[in-house]
Amino acid sequence: MAKPNKRGPSRTVDVFCAKCKAQLFKYRKGGKGALIKCFKERIVEDNTKVPCTCPECGQVFAREALVRGAPAFKMVGGKVTFK
């Protein structure tokens, strides 16, 4: 299977907690679809203290996984929004 492109896309999106609207991180996103997985190497700025947990309300928004051999966060449906 192919690994994610290291250089990655140039479009950066802000990812927010759907519950309290706290910013979780900035992410270099590819494509125009929903945010289903976030490769850790594409995260530009991380505002979380504990991985996969919102720093404000403590809600778990993702789980850690390996996608195509690369570490990633698999998003839980309805827990994050992005702009």
Side-chain angles (χ1 to χ4, degrees), residues 23-74:
Q23 184 175 3
L24 302 172
F25 46 80
K26 287 183 186 266
Y27 181 70
R28 288 190 329 245
K29 184 175 183 323
K32 55 187 175 189
L35 193 65
I36 297 171
K37 62 186 172 289
C38 292
F39 291 103
K40 291 182 181 181
E41 63 191 29
R42 288 188 185 177
I43 295 175
V44 179
E45 177 184 318
D46 191 0
N47 297 327
T48 61
K49 295 173 182 77
V50 178
C52 303
T53 306
C54 176
E56 298 293 321
C57 65
Q59 173 175 267
V60 175
F61 63 86
R63 61 184 169 85
E64 294 190 54
L66 281 178
V67 178
R68 289 180 253 148
F73 294 129
K74 300 259 313 207

